[in-house]
Amino acid sequence: MPTMMSFSTLSLRALLLLGVWHPGRRSFILAASFQEPPKNIAVVGAGIGGTAAAYFLRQEFGPAVKIDVFEPDAVGGRLATVKIGEHEYETGGAVIHPLNLHMKHFIEKLGIPPRKDLPSKMAIFDGKELVFEESDWFFVNFFRMLWRYGFGFLRMQMWVESILDKFMRIYQYQQFGYSFSTVERLLHAMGGDGFLTLMNQTLEEAMIGEGFSQVFINDVIAPITRVNYGQSVRVNGFVGAVSLAGADSGLWAVDGGNKRVCTGLLYNSKSELIPARVTSISVKVRPSKKGNTISLYEVNYVGESGSAHSLYDIVVIATPLHQGKSDIVFSGFSPPIPSHYSGLYHQTVTTMVHGKLNVSYLGTSEPASEFTVSDILTTDSKGCAINSLGSLDPVHIPDSYKRPSASHTTVWKVFSPRPLSQEQLQQMFLSYSSMSETPWLAYPAYRPPHRKTPPFILHDRMYYLNAVEWAASAMEMSAIAARNAALLAHHRWHEQVGKIDQEDLHTRLRGEL
């Protein structure tokens, strides 16, 4: 991976070695000029965004503040597992990129090991037959791709790496305490006008502009966007690039399930989990000890014990404020805060099948005993009812475990835009002992041109993490938004605005050196 010397004379590795990754260092240096810390903070949602927010808020505001995390369902949100037979399997967010520094930091801090890596093979299915099947031999795969697409695959990796190089700038900004009030400003700090341009064109348009052929886009790029976001190459160029990064080598997952990061962050932050659904938030004005008035947020919620409410200095919303995802009512705010922002979340149905695959469904004559492909991607063709089909390994890999061939009963995960019919399941599987179906509103429907995203700042001291999903939805994007919200809350509470919406880090670093 090329370094970012054009952005800063200090590399990420050097910054980490200098210790500036730890946010407490900055807070300690500036503590003398701070006001009293807040007493109570509410975080609504205990997915990766909410639990990461609790973790970063604790680091920013110290041990005295009380942090409550509201979650009506299981901790983890869209990171979830299901038990089938003797093992648990990942049903939600599955893989993490090697350059996702927040996620790497979390598991190191929490002492959670990465999952044991197993070799895998990929194939591409057009609804009738396999148009590509990966070989066990690297050079065979390389020359097959070279013969069919020229150097398109290598050029794609170079294009994605150039975008990742810019993406990595956000870690330097956050290490030095910089925060941003809108998604657009955050993206501009990463990649300048180029990232905003990507948001306003489709991935297909961006790649044609870079000289990629339509055949390569249809055969290689579309299957990747379909498996990662359930959508075509007409998603915006930025989320498309994030999707392509998700096809990179070195991807990893957490031993025992990715949701363990959420439970670990919650515990590490010393937050109190309140198993309740937040129904409304309003502003309450109260007299202060100094004789003036202060405004607090009243959070109303419903749990097993009935309705209740509590007052908070700061509120962080870490659940999507969109139709079908949340029904929080914001009352008494001027200007008003909508309960639902515009835009729709895209439905992807996850079907977990414990059964024996019918390899003839894939149009291959290969015997099931020799079919060892674990990941089947699909092209964007009318005859294809699924987005992907994958053989799952348990979230914890036993030492004696070997991934079975298709002739054995195993667990398969099918992504599809709609629930699969009984007829479709019978076509895909010779037999199955169990089947579970989960419809996810997993990520936004990405339709450029880019409309203005919801703000990170909903009100004076109320922040909204999930605005970032309208740029791209991923575990690391949620963690970046969580760090950004904690920094915003910290700077605005202490009335230190010098590191909000500024892009002068490069200049400052050069001046300090």
Side-chain angles (χ1 to χ4, degrees):
M1 181 68 63
T3 59
M4 293 167 41
M5 297 304 289
S6 60
F7 173 67
S8 169
T9 52
L10 285 178
S11 69
L12 274 172
R13 181 174 295 181
L15 288 170
L16 293 170
L17 291 173
L18 287 171
V20 297
W21 178 262
H22 192 281
R25 176 174 177 173
R26 173 182 48 79
S27 301
F28 177 78
I29 294 170
L30 300 175
S33 63
F34 285 174
Q35 301 180 33
E36 289 185 10
K39 293 180 174 62
N40 300 290
I41 298 177
V43 177
V44 182
I48 185 62
T51 54
Y55 172 83
F56 288 128
L57 286 164
R58 176 65 69 202
Q59 291 190 329
E60 291 300 318
F61 288 106
V65 63
K66 184 177 187 293
I67 302 175
D68 291 339
V69 179
F70 293 87
E71 176 55 62
D73 301 313
V75 172
R78 284 170 275 178
L79 303 185
T81 60
V82 64
K83 188 167 186 179
I84 300 174
E86 298 178 356
H87 302 291
E88 285 196 36
Y89 298 87
E90 204 84 65
T91 61
V95 294
I96 304 165
H97 194 277
L99 293 179
N100 288 171
L101 297 191
H102 284 318
M103 293 299 293
K104 289 179 72 173
H105 171 69
F106 291 157
I107 69 162
E108 289 167 5
K109 178 74 175 180
L110 300 172
I112 305 173
R115 189 180 310 166
K116 181 181 175 182
D117 187 36
L118 292 174
S120 60
K121 286 170 62 178
M122 180 271 296
I124 297 175
F125 179 53
D126 68 358
K128 295 180 181 179
E129 61 182 356
L130 296 179
V131 294
F132 176 81
E133 183 176 341
E134 197 172 7
S135 165
D136 290 322
W137 302 94
F138 170 80
F139 287 107
V140 172
N141 294 322
F142 178 80
F143 285 111
R144 279 182 187 171
M145 297 296 285
L146 186 65
W147 176 261
R148 188 171 176 86
Y149 305 112
F151 288 100
F153 201 78
L154 290 175
R155 290 182 55 243
M156 180 197 80
Q157 291 179 312
M158 292 171 64
W159 184 65
V160 172
E161 283 189 6
S162 70
I163 292 171
L164 282 174
D165 276 350
K166 295 172 183 174
F167 183 96
M168 296 290 285
R169 296 176 183 179
I170 194 60
Y171 298 114
Q172 289 186 315
Y173 272 109
Q174 292 188 336
Q175 285 160 11
F176 282 90
Y178 283 69
S179 59
F180 302 91
S181 62
T182 67
V183 174
E184 289 81 6
R185 287 182 179 273
L186 185 145
L187 289 177
H188 194 273
M190 287 181 181
D193 293 339
F195 274 14
L196 297 181
T197 299
L198 282 174
M199 289 284 289
N200 283 289
Q201 60 183 166
T202 67
L203 175 63
E204 184 176 46
E205 290 168 343
M207 297 197 76
I208 287 174
E210 293 288 332
F212 291 92
S213 72
Q214 191 69 56
V215 171
F216 181 77
I217 292 170
N218 293 343
D219 289 1
V220 177
I221 306 303
I224 296 172
T225 61
R226 284 167 64 82
V227 68
N228 286 326
Y229 288 104
Q231 298 170 64
S232 72
V233 290
R234 289 174 288 283
V235 297
N236 76 61
F238 182 78
V239 76
V242 170
S243 180
L244 296 181
D248 210 343
S249 60
L251 301 177
W252 59 279
V254 174
D255 185 48
N258 293 328
K259 68 180 183 181
R260 288 187 66 195
V261 176
C262 300
T263 54
L265 290 171
L266 194 63
Y267 177 80
N268 185 274
S269 69
K270 296 180 172 59
S271 301
E272 181 176 348
L273 177 65
I274 299 178
R277 179 174 60 88
V278 173
T279 56
S280 65
I281 301 174
S282 58
V283 181
K284 300 293 180 181
V285 178
R286 295 286 188 269
S288 72
K289 294 179 181 178
K290 296 180 180 179
N292 57 350
T293 60
I294 57 171
S295 61
L296 298 169
Y297 296 107
E298 182 179 272
V299 175
N300 295 276
Y301 53 95
V302 178
E304 290 184 0
S305 303
S307 301
H309 66 268
S310 299
L311 294 173
Y312 296 94
D313 300 294
I314 294 170
V315 174
V316 175
I317 308 291
T319 186
L321 297 176
H322 280 79
Q323 191 72 41
K325 298 291 287 183
S326 171
D327 289 306
I328 300 173
V329 174
F330 298 91
S331 58
F333 290 92
S334 181
I337 299 172
S339 294
H340 298 135
Y341 282 97
S342 60
L344 297 173
Y345 269 66
H346 180 86
Q347 176 175 279
T348 289
V349 179
T350 300
T351 306
M352 306 286 285
V353 180
H354 187 209
K356 191 176 292 187
L357 184 69
N358 178 13
V359 294
S360 63
Y361 169 78
L362 301 171
T364 179
S365 57
E366 196 172 351
S369 59
E370 297 177 16
F371 188 80
T372 56
V373 170
S374 53
D375 300 294
I376 299 156
L377 282 55
T378 64
T379 60
D380 191 6
S381 54
K382 291 182 180 179
C384 203
I386 63 173
N387 292 335
S388 66
L389 171 65
S391 168
L392 287 192
D393 300 314
V395 293
H396 174 70
I397 309 293
D399 290 337
S400 60
Y401 177 84
K402 289 185 178 180
R403 185 183 293 130
S405 69
S407 61
H408 294 78
T409 296
T410 189
V411 176
W412 295 86
K413 179 162 70 173
V414 187
F415 285 153
S416 59
R418 287 169 291 279
L420 297 173
S421 67
Q422 194 67 31
E423 181 183 358
Q424 287 171 325
L425 284 167
Q426 289 173 350
Q427 289 175 345
M428 294 171 64
F429 297 94
L430 295 173
S431 62
Y432 56 90
S433 58
S434 68
M435 185 274 289
S436 65
E437 183 181 275
T438 306
W440 292 97
L441 291 176
Y443 20 68
Y446 293 105
R447 298 280 189 273
H450 169 62
R451 291 173 295 189
K452 187 177 181 181
T453 59
F456 285 133
I457 303 172
L458 294 178
H459 192 249
D460 185 28
R461 286 171 280 107
M462 186 160 62
Y463 304 92
Y464 179 42
L465 290 191
N466 293 72
V468 81
E469 289 194 291
W470 294 87
S473 179
M475 284 179 261
E476 188 72 3
M477 292 297 289
S478 294
I480 287 170
R483 182 82 177 100
N484 184 68
L487 289 167
L488 274 175
H490 178 272
H491 296 333
R492 287 164 59 82
W493 179 266
H494 294 294
E495 299 178 355
Q496 295 186 340
V497 297
K499 290 186 178 179
I500 298 176
D501 292 336
Q502 302 297 319
E503 295 187 30
D504 60 354
L505 176 58
H506 186 195
T507 304
R508 285 193 181 190
L509 287 176
R510 289 174 62 183
E512 290 173 9
L513 292 173

